[in-house]
Amino acid sequence: MTAADPDPFAGYEQGPYFCELQAGRAGDCGTIAAVRGRIAEIGLAALRERAAAAETDLINLGVTFTVYSQASAIDRILPFDCVPRIITAPEWRTLESGVKQRVAALNAFLYDIYHDRKILRDGVIPAELVLGNANYRPEMEGFAVPFGTYVHICGIDIVRDEAGGFRVLEDNARTPSGVSYVVENRHLMYRAFPDLMAGMRLRPVDDYGRRLRAALTEIAPESVPDPQVVLLSPGIYNSAYFEHVFLAREMGVPLVEGADLFVEDDRVFMRTIAGRWPVHSIYRRIGDDFLDPTVFRPDSLLGVPGLVGAWRRGNVALANAVGTGVADDKAIYAYMPRIIRYYLDQDPILPNVETHICREPNGLAYTLDRLDQLVVKPVGESGGYGITIGPRASRAELEAARAALLADPANWISQPVIGLSVAPTLVDDGLRPRHLDLRPFAVTGRETWVLPGGLTRVAMREGSLVVNSSQGGGSKDTWVLDTEPEAHDVAPALTGGASP
Amino acid sequence: MSTQTPLLARYAEGLFWMARYMERVENIARLIDVTQGFEMPSQAAESWYALIRINADEEGFADRGYERDAASVKRFYLTDADNPTSVPAAIAAARLNARTLRPVISTEMWMQLNMLHRELLHIPPASLSGDQLSRLCARIKQGVQEHTGITEGTFFRDEGWFFYQLGRSIERADQTTRLLDIQYHLLVPYGPEERRVTEMTQWGGVLRAAAGHHAFRRVAPPGFSPADVVRFLLTDTSFPRSVLLCVSQIEWQIATLRSRYGLRGTVPALERIEELRAALAARSVEAVVEAGLHQFLDALQSDFILLASEIGTAFFRDWRPLAQTQEQTQT
């Protein structure tokens, strides 16, 4: 830091929000202050230089997602911010147990609604909300999945309010994406900021592929001693194709497309140079609708005819199971605290954001009265589309939202505006507060494992609360401090120890 | 370790084609380089148009509205991404294959190809003229050679590596026949003695383009003739770009896929290779030249097309039942 290169934190004001780089909170034993000190030492000019080099690195490596417009396909990187987001050990314990609890409740709920429907009979959730849901799959009724696990890969979007409390914003129980960035961001930090990373005791993130493969092996048909796992992708034109490549490589399994697979006698095979080869467990990154044209959309070329039949016969495992979309629906989300209590007899470790259900007259009236104060969301959309943020909306936008609500109340929920936490983020003016969220990833076979940290998405625009990559959001490396007495810096070895 | 999962047919096909397209990129640069060396003041347009002929691109060239002049031919091959036989098109096709192959190729292979693709997609017009053209060709060759070196040093040696090598060997053999063919298409409007000298200069250019000039000198008889150059490029057993050496490589690659990996369906391809070998050995080069080198090279090129299709039938074809209708077939 010199006169020519002033303190990069100069002019940083966190405002009324919780700051994720605030030192001295529970579980911080000086690490956060050290990180701030190191960033100041690197200085703004070097930060910019290295951030630019890091982004070039991502382009060259092809760590990209693809944006399609009418005429062209552009490979974009997820903008990367070099200031890490830090989670302390006790904070992570809360998050980890809260995520596990939530996954357990989601799975119990899915088993129940596709079997006994006790929760509906007990009147905890309106039956039509489940049975009339577009993502409810009658094909799943009465079908048992191994270990009762429907949601093998779950990404739960969590925010922090002004007081620093964690709140769940959304459950993603279909095919949540973003985990590849968690791992790539960490690698990038080690390459570009060795001086920032030196000696930091962080929970490692590169165990994800091994854990995922283990879960996919666990759920394969029991009779197969050495199951063949594959990742089923829609192919290179899918915007998350890089992530599919990443996961296939990290697991060491083939990345297949629908046309690489075929079903014969209710068994799944892939087409190899040596002819057919049996497949036993599939991590599918294709939505239910496109999975099997003989069961769902008949016009789908992405799927595999007969796949669902083979699955129902127990000859192949599918992750996630078909029909999980009913559980991560925004309308069901409102009931999650009750769902957790109903199945687990526990209070939610991670509370929801207060949610008003517009299909209910009270919820609708409440929402219409306070449209200018609430966030109104369609229940079926993802990616931040269709949202109206009351306090930021124009009069015309509010009127449009009102009309949409009145036309189809059941399609909407509303929530208070949460002042999402902020973290210093490198922008043109220097380090400035930007809002962010967190998506931890949970992998479940027999049991649930949560990748330490998760994807931190950051809204790069000043004041923006929308962090989605499709809306210009970026990402940060997410550190979980490993400052417990029994710290373990490295992932457990796969084979015997290397002691001399 | 458990039983190794055999390679997906789609990956094998992708590797085969990625290698072919990369080899093609390098050879376009070699052809341009040699043509530049041949350019005769009064015959510039004809010299350059010969390139169009040996690549059988007459139709595509005319359809795209080009004039028969030097600048047009250079643009057609070096900057026209819409011409499927251009450098930008070939590198784009290689990258598209590489993209589907990312689960099996090394990160370093992907990264280099990705960067080379960006570079070659935007060749500035100024690079096509004067001394810059030769530097551009050198840069293109070097880019592909970097790819080759990274592949050698990082690509896992399972069946996929053999399919990659097969694609490379077939394309290289085919391209050597085209390099040889240049000579046939050039008019040499001089008297007998001048003609002999000019011809030898031109053959020297062909050898240089094939990176074989010095190797040829080591094995050539004193007072060598054009037939010796042809013999060298067609049948030398040590020169990496000779047709015969490529054919031997192809044979070994297919035989290894058969013996080491137990792959079936190789018989038609192996028989085709025997025919190619026989054709190369049947007559003296002098007799071939006498009967017409162009016709001979044409026949070899047809055989390579058939060979590629037999490899496709044996290993790739049935992976995607809709391949034919989806216009996914690569050429």
Side-chain angles (χ1 to χ4, degrees), chain A residues 118-409:
Chain A
K118 283 188 258 180
I119 198 166
L120 307 184
R121 284 192 273 115
D122 289 344
V124 178
I125 298 180
E128 75 273 15
L129 201 59
V130 172
L131 306 180
N133 192 297
N135 293 306
Y136 179 83
R137 302 286 178 191
E139 296 83 1
M140 289 298 293
E141 289 167 11
F143 174 57
V145 294
F147 317 119
T149 301
Y150 291 77
V151 185
H152 308 88
I153 296 92
C154 190
I156 295 181
D157 292 347
I158 296 170
V159 297
R160 254 178 136 169
D161 60 23
E162 291 87 340
F166 293 111
R167 288 173 181 277
V168 174
L169 201 59
E170 192 172 306
D171 301 290
N172 294 284
R174 282 172 259 189
T175 51
S177 63
V179 71
S180 54
Y181 294 102
V182 177
V183 181
E184 291 291 346
N185 285 354
R186 179 64 53 82
H187 289 318
L188 190 60
M189 286 300 286
Y190 276 115
R191 287 198 300 274
F193 293 91
D195 42 358
L196 184 58
M197 307 294 285
M200 289 290 163
R201 293 163 71 102
L202 310 179
R203 297 283 301 275
V205 294
D206 46 14
D207 205 23
Y208 189 83
R210 195 177 66 95
R211 295 278 188 169
L212 181 58
R213 179 158 179 181
L216 289 163
T217 305
E218 279 171 14
I219 63 170
E222 268 177 63
S223 56
V224 182
D226 187 13
Q228 175 69 51
V229 176
V230 299
L231 186 147
L232 175 60
S233 164
I236 59 169
Y237 298 108
N238 186 269
S239 64
Y241 178 69
F242 163 71
E243 177 150 304
H244 306 164
V245 168
F246 171 89
L247 291 170
R249 280 198 308 219
E250 289 293 306
M251 287 195 285
V253 306
L255 184 159
V256 300
E257 297 174 12
D260 292 323
L261 300 181
F262 66 94
V263 176
E264 214 174 277
D265 297 332
D266 284 328
R267 288 177 189 279
V268 183
F269 299 93
M270 60 184 199
R271 301 173 203 274
T272 79
I273 50 172
R276 61 169 61 183
W277 183 261
V279 170
H280 308 104
S281 187
I282 301 176
Y283 178 25
R284 49 99 171 201
R285 296 289 298 248
I286 294 181
D288 286 357
D289 277 347
F290 296 95
L291 202 53
D292 180 345
T294 65
V295 180
F296 303 117
R297 280 180 58 157
D299 59 335
S300 171
L301 293 172
L302 301 175
V304 185
L307 180 56
V308 170
W311 181 49
R312 290 188 58 98
R313 289 292 299 272
N315 291 330
V316 71
L318 278 183
N320 289 351
V322 170
T324 57
V326 65
D328 72 6
D329 189 278
K330 289 194 181 70
I332 298 293
Y333 160 88
Y335 293 90
M336 274 306 286
R338 291 177 234 178
I339 289 173
I340 291 169
R341 287 196 193 91
Y342 183 81
Y343 293 111
L344 307 178
D345 197 21
Q346 296 168 0
D347 284 329
I349 298 167
L350 300 171
N352 263 19
V353 174
E354 176 193 335
T355 302
H356 309 281
I357 302 162
C358 299
R359 68 181 295 120
E360 296 174 355
N362 289 346
L364 179 62
Y366 182 96
T367 304
L368 290 173
D369 280 354
R370 296 168 185 78
L371 256 189
D372 57 341
Q373 300 159 34
L374 298 171
V375 180
V376 181
K377 296 178 176 177
V379 295
E381 295 286 330
S382 64
Y385 294 104
I387 292 179
T388 306
I389 299 174
R392 312 246 168 117
S394 67
R395 180 176 285 270
E397 284 167 333
L398 287 176
E399 284 317 306
R402 180 181 303 277
L405 270 163
L406 288 168
D408 184 11

Side-chain angles (χ1 to χ4, degrees), chain A residues 53-65 75-78 80 180-181 183-189 191-192 241-243 245-246 249, chain B residues 95 98-99 102-103 105-116 118:
Chain A
E55 296 207 332
T56 306
D57 216 22
L58 290 178
I59 293 172
N60 291 341
L61 278 166
V63 181
T64 50
F65 64 97
D75 287 334
R76 290 240 183 98
I77 57 166
L78 189 59
F80 173 71
S180 54
Y181 294 102
V183 181
E184 291 291 346
N185 285 354
R186 179 64 53 82
H187 289 318
L188 190 60
M189 286 300 286
R191 287 198 300 274
Y241 178 69
F242 163 71
E243 177 150 304
V245 168
F246 171 89
R249 280 198 308 219
Chain B
R95 180 177 179 267
R99 212 170 158 208
R102 281 181 70 181
I105 63 177
S106 70
T107 306
E108 289 161 51
M109 285 168 74
W110 163 251
M111 193 159 157
Q112 190 267 345
L113 218 160
N114 205 19
M115 292 166 75
L116 185 64
R118 273 215 310 283

